[in-house]
Structure formats: structure tokens, C-alpha cells
Amino acid sequence: MKTGRLISLLFFSYIKCQTLQRTLLDTAMQHTGSQNYLEENLRDIISTMVAQFLQKLTYEEVQTTVKELLDFAEKCKSLKMHESPSECSYRLMTTFLEHICNNQGMVDKHAFSNCCNINNTARHKCFLLYKKDDEGHSDVFQIPSPEQICEMDKENQVSVRGRFIYETSRKHPFLYGPTILTMSACYETAIQSCCQEENKTECFQIKVEPIRKYIREISLRHHHLCDIGIKFNHKVAKSVFLYEYSRRLPELPLLVILRVVTVYQNLLGKCCKLEDPLECYSHGKEMFQRVVLESHERVKNYCGLHEKLGDNNFHDRLMVLYTKKAPQLSAQELIMFTKNMAAAAARCCPLSHEQQFLCMEDMAKLILGALCRRHEAEPINVGVGHCCDDSYAFRKPCFDDLQVDGTYISPLLSCDQIISLKEGLCKAKEEEIQTEKQKLLSNLVKQKPYATEMQFQSISVDFTHLVKMCCQAEKSEMCFQKEESKLIEKCQSLLGGK
């Protein structure tokens, strides 16, 4: 079992976000508790670590670095009685980071010079901050030709699994290491199965897609855990009160419990300064119930609006709301962000009342977490920054209540620039037409953020009707020219004659 503890602590406690990952490490201890596992997977474990930290390395470069580190790793396979796995783990991570810093070409390639100029404790955190999650990547492991990969598998199964580990690790640097190894085994099984099938391409799509989907979803959660651990100094994971409340009320989402904890801590701070703290404490239960009720009501109203408007119109409404809150984002960024919010509503709102509540809070924390990462990479505005940084527990209510960013000054656009209808829309897919409409909405909102919802909705409805009518017309191009001028007039009325 010492080996099991060792292999868990050896790399993954440092690959991930230190103490925040200890609950995950407990699981790893169960999984990796044999000497055989250590012997068979040591190279893959180190490969995962190297690819997650050094994301720009080629597959061949990773393998070269792994060979250089294997000797150091071997030393930790047999600990002395007075040595703990965590001590050896710390030394190995220190050695790995020194190995990077001593290689000037590697430092320059990854822009690590500032990390290498600081001490060991701060150095590791610095390296963690350089990890970049490839959230926009559509596939974990691109397969150019099933026949080609089947031939590769036939010749060298280790190479196929190794490349999968490499691709997955560098594209998902916050993904828990044992998860990558487990998924590599699933992937290898899928490959072996599909290579026996006549229609290999179809088989690959059916069997590899669930693996891809699982990796993307679980990677998003692991990244979110790391973000919160680093930003809020792991206080979220340490609250004793938190444990008791969650144990008694398992139907509440974690974030709602965190809101109660935050209110409780604020109440303690206030009451302890008064002459009669007990009287002050007596209002606590009422305050906690109000926090829970308000959280319930927000989700209830959100789902009520989704049911009333339907998927597309609900997405349009979110587009208007979040363009007002974060007009600095491009139309494409706003479309993707609100698309995820709308998808969460479509997934969660049909569930039972309690499950709906749990589902929406869970999905929202991940989606808003991604928005906050975007803000951290390139600041959006003061309001978004406040919601991201002030309180993790109240992040969602903060964004819900965020109003128009009055400091934003949009580049002036004429209605001719905002509205451009072409006959090509008739050949476009429904989703592409929806995207064009939402770009129009976003540009309108940026020009006139204080216009009413009804004014924006009216132009949105007209756009949809116009496209449908003209695409059915005998002379589509003439129809678009005629009807576009009417829509432009309506736009000019909204923008005040611009």
C-alpha cells in the first residue's frame, strides 16, 4: 500500500492544484495500490506530467524528456522508513522543474524565464498558471484514417495508447492523471474492437465519441476546481460548517451551501462585536432560509422564462442580457457563452424541481468559470471582474444582477453595417441563420444598450420572418433587397436616426 500512496502523491498532487486535489487522490490510492501497476504505468504517468506542463513539446520530445526523468522516478519506488511519499514527491517535482529551468531552449520555447527566476515554492505555482486548457478543441485525438490507425495498432499498441495519452494530456493539462490513464485503456479497447469491424469509420465514431465527450466534461470540472483553489486559497474546501450543513441537507447544491456559509461567517463577524450576540444570532436561521429560497426562485424564474420563450428565443434573450453586461466581448464570444447557458437550461429545466435546482447551479458554475478565465486572460470590465473575484459562492447571483456596463463606448455603426441580408442565407443551416440573427442583436445592443427588450425582440422577429419569406419567394434576391430596407428603417428608428 506504501507504493499506492507513493504513486498517487508522486506526481498527481503536484500536477493538479495541490491540496484541493486530495479527495481525488484518495480515489487514486484505491486504483493504484499494486506494485505491478507502478511498474507497468510509470512511463505513462511521467508522460502525462511532462505533456501537461510542457504543452508545446512534440510527442518525440516528450518521450526524450520522459527517459531523462525515469531515473529520478525510480528512486522513489523504494522509500526508506523515515521518508514519506509526499517528501519524495516534492523532491521529484523540484527536480522536474529544475530540469526545465536548466534547459534554456525549453525555457525560451515555453516562456518560463520568470518562473525559473523565483524560489521552489513560488516556482511551482507559477508553472501551474502557465497551463492553457484547449477548451475550443473539437476532438481529443484526431483520427485521419481508421485503416491507418488500425495498422499502427497492429504494429505497436503502445504507440497508439501513448499518443492518445500525449494528445489528451497536453490539450487538457488540468485533467486528473489517473483519468487519462483509464481513458487511454478505454480508447485502446475501442480501437481493437473497431479494427475487427468492416465499417471501421462508423465504429470509431460510435465508440470513441463517448470517450471524447467524457474527457471534455470531466476536464472542465477539474479545471474549475483548480481555478477556485488557486483564486480563493482553498478556503472553499476547508469549511467545517460546510460539512455539517451539506450532510444534513444533501438536496442543496454545494454553491448554495457555500452561500449559507458566507452569510453565517458574516453574521458571526457582526454579532461578535455586539453586547448581546445571542439575540443577533437568533436571526441566523431566517437569513439562511432566505438565501436558499432566493437561490430556488432564481432557478425557477430562469426555467419559467425558458419554457415561455422556447430554445431559440431564450437564447436571443440571453444574448441581449449578456451583451449589456459584457459588451467588450466579441459577438462570437457572446454567442458561444450564451449558447452554453441556453443548453444548460434545455438540459436542466425539464427535470424535477429539486434536480432542476441542482443541475442549473452545477452547470452555471462551470460556464461562469470559463467566462472568468476569459476575463483573467484579458480583462472584460469592472463588473465582470467584481463578480469573478469577490465571492465564489455568490458569483452566479452577482452575474444575474449585473446591469448595463455604462462605461463602454461602442464604435459607431450604421444600420447598413449592422444589417446585411444575402440570398446565401437560404442555403444556410438553421443554426447559421440563428447565429446571423444574434450577431445583429449583439451589434444593436452595443449601439443602444438601454433600449427595451421589446424593441430588440421586434427586430429579431422581423429578421426571422424576412429570411423565411424571402427564401420561399420566387425571386429571393429582389425580396431581400426590398425587405432589408424596411428592416434598416426600423433599426434607424431604434438607434435614433444613426
Side-chain angles (χ1 to χ4, degrees):
M1 182 53 84
K2 178 185 272 192
T3 303
R5 293 193 187 95
L6 165 65
I7 197 63
S8 301
L9 288 163
L10 193 59
F11 299 109
F12 298 125
S13 60
Y14 282 94
I15 292 173
K16 302 303 293 173
C17 293
Q18 301 155 325
T19 57
L20 188 67
Q21 295 299 313
R22 296 210 179 277
T23 53
L24 296 176
L25 294 179
D26 291 340
T27 305
M29 290 179 193
Q30 302 291 326
H31 181 58
T32 62
S34 72
Q35 183 68 25
N36 286 342
Y37 185 91
L38 178 62
E39 297 290 348
E40 293 168 7
N41 294 281
L42 186 58
R43 177 178 288 275
D44 289 340
I45 291 166
I46 301 175
S47 296
T48 299
M49 178 183 73
V50 173
Q52 286 188 321
F53 271 100
L54 304 173
Q55 294 172 265
K56 293 181 182 178
L57 292 189
T58 64
Y59 175 73
E60 289 72 24
E61 288 171 329
V62 166
Q63 298 312 306
T64 300
T65 305
V66 168
K67 285 180 184 177
E68 293 168 354
L69 292 172
L70 269 173
D71 288 341
F72 297 115
E74 290 286 340
K75 294 176 184 177
C76 269
K77 281 163 57 176
S78 55
L79 295 176
K80 296 177 182 177
M81 290 300 293
H82 65 279
E83 291 181 313
S84 71
S86 59
E87 287 172 357
C88 196
S89 171
Y90 178 80
R91 289 201 305 272
L92 274 171
M93 181 52 66
T94 301
T95 301
F96 173 53
L97 298 183
E98 284 178 357
H99 176 83
I100 295 172
C101 291
N102 290 335
N103 186 323
Q104 192 58 48
M106 201 175 284
V107 171
D108 294 340
K109 183 173 184 176
H110 298 268
F112 284 149
S113 56
N114 60 330
C115 295
C116 292
N117 291 331
I118 54 182
N119 64 40
N120 286 337
T121 304
R123 180 181 286 179
H124 178 240
K125 186 174 182 180
C126 180
F127 272 92
L128 281 175
L129 294 174
Y130 270 87
K131 287 187 175 186
K132 300 296 180 188
D133 205 345
D134 193 358
E135 293 172 356
H137 199 266
S138 60
D139 279 299
V140 170
F141 191 31
Q142 299 279 2
I143 303 171
S145 163
E147 287 73 17
Q148 183 181 351
I149 207 156
C150 286
E151 191 61 34
M152 187 191 305
D153 180 63
K154 192 175 180 181
E155 293 175 2
N156 189 351
Q157 291 181 4
V158 175
S159 176
V160 172
R161 190 180 76 251
R163 284 193 172 273
F164 176 87
I165 290 170
Y166 162 73
E167 294 285 352
T168 306
S169 299
R170 74 185 184 89
K171 288 168 185 169
H172 299 278
F174 295 93
L175 184 57
Y176 184 42
T179 300
I180 295 175
L181 298 191
T182 301
M183 289 298 101
S184 72
C186 294
Y187 176 79
E188 189 174 31
T189 301
I191 295 298
Q192 291 170 354
S193 172
C194 288
C195 288
Q196 306 300 317
E197 298 291 330
E198 188 174 340
N199 191 337
K200 294 178 176 57
T201 302
E202 183 181 359
C203 181
F204 273 45
Q205 291 171 346
I206 293 171
K207 295 197 174 183
V208 173
E209 176 61 21
I211 298 172
R212 183 196 71 81
K213 184 178 179 183
Y214 176 79
I215 286 176
R216 287 180 62 79
E217 288 184 358
I218 204 70
S219 175
L220 185 62
R221 291 184 182 280
H222 291 178
H223 193 171
H224 183 73
L225 282 171
C226 284
D227 281 346
I228 299 311
I230 292 171
K231 183 179 287 291
F232 297 101
N233 199 27
H234 303 290
K235 291 177 182 177
V236 168
K238 293 180 180 178
S239 174
V240 175
F241 179 78
L242 173 59
Y243 166 73
E244 289 297 328
Y245 206 85
S246 61
R247 188 169 60 85
R248 291 199 301 270
L249 297 169
E251 74 278 6
L252 288 183
L254 174 62
L255 276 177
V256 175
I257 296 171
L258 285 175
R259 284 169 209 153
V260 172
V261 170
T262 303
V263 170
Y264 174 71
Q265 289 172 336
N266 292 340
L267 183 67
L268 281 179
K270 175 185 174 185
C271 294
C272 289
K273 297 174 184 176
L274 302 178
E275 290 183 11
D276 187 1
L278 292 180
E279 195 281 330
C280 178
Y281 294 147
S282 67
H283 301 290
K285 186 175 181 180
E286 178 187 335
M287 293 172 68
F288 298 164
Q289 289 174 338
R290 187 162 64 245
V291 168
V292 174
L293 181 63
E294 285 178 359
S295 298
H296 261 293
E297 285 299 310
R298 286 177 186 273
V299 172
K300 181 181 175 182
N301 293 338
Y302 193 78
C303 285
L305 188 62
H306 176 262
E307 184 179 7
K308 177 184 175 183
L309 297 177
D311 288 341
N312 285 350
N313 289 335
F314 181 73
H315 189 181
D316 292 348
R317 178 68 65 88
L318 290 177
M319 191 71 185
V320 170
L321 289 174
Y322 276 91
T323 301
K324 290 181 178 183
K325 299 173 197 280
Q328 294 83 358
L329 292 175
S330 68
Q332 196 58 44
E333 286 178 307
L334 284 161
I335 288 169
M336 289 306 298
F337 169 71
T338 53
K339 181 180 180 180
N340 289 335
M341 293 291 284
R347 175 177 174 178
C348 300
C349 291
L351 302 176
S352 65
H353 183 60
E354 289 301 333
Q355 288 300 313
Q356 179 188 92
F357 187 35
L358 288 164
C359 181
M360 275 307 308
E361 287 284 353
D362 182 56
M363 296 295 290
K365 78 182 179 192
L366 298 175
I367 296 167
L368 293 175
L371 179 62
C372 288
R373 285 199 294 278
R374 163 61 176 83
H375 171 78
E376 193 168 332
E378 186 180 342
I380 298 170
N381 61 40
V382 173
V384 170
H386 169 74
C387 289
C388 288
D389 300 337
D390 185 56
S391 168
Y392 175 58
F394 283 92
R395 182 180 278 179
K396 181 180 177 294
C398 182
F399 273 107
D400 288 345
D401 297 337
L402 199 60
Q403 300 299 309
V404 173
D405 178 12
T407 66
Y408 178 74
I409 300 174
S410 172
L412 291 178
L413 294 175
S414 67
C415 288
D416 299 75
Q417 292 171 297
I418 294 173
I419 299 170
S420 178
L421 299 175
K422 303 293 183 185
E423 191 177 3
L425 283 172
C426 298
K427 298 177 183 177
K429 296 177 182 178
E430 180 65 31
E431 187 176 352
E432 292 171 330
I433 295 173
Q434 177 79 352
T435 296
E436 287 303 312
K437 179 181 64 175
Q438 288 169 346
K439 285 180 183 177
L440 185 157
L441 275 175
S442 179
N443 285 323
L444 280 177
V445 175
K446 289 180 183 184
Q447 295 295 313
K448 204 76 171 179
Y450 293 98
T452 66
E453 291 284 343
M454 289 301 295
Q455 287 175 301
F456 292 126
Q457 185 182 3
S458 176
I459 289 183
S460 173
V461 169
D462 285 357
F463 174 90
T464 303
H465 173 72
L466 188 156
V467 171
K468 185 176 181 180
M469 180 180 70
C470 288
C471 287
Q472 292 175 349
E474 200 171 310
K475 297 182 179 180
S476 296
E477 191 62 36
M478 288 180 62
C479 177
F480 275 120
Q481 290 173 3
K482 179 183 175 183
E483 298 299 325
E484 182 181 65
S485 63
K486 294 179 183 178
L487 198 58
I488 288 174
E489 284 179 20
K490 197 166 190 175
C491 168
Q492 289 169 340
S493 174
L494 173 64
L495 300 186
K498 286 182 184 174

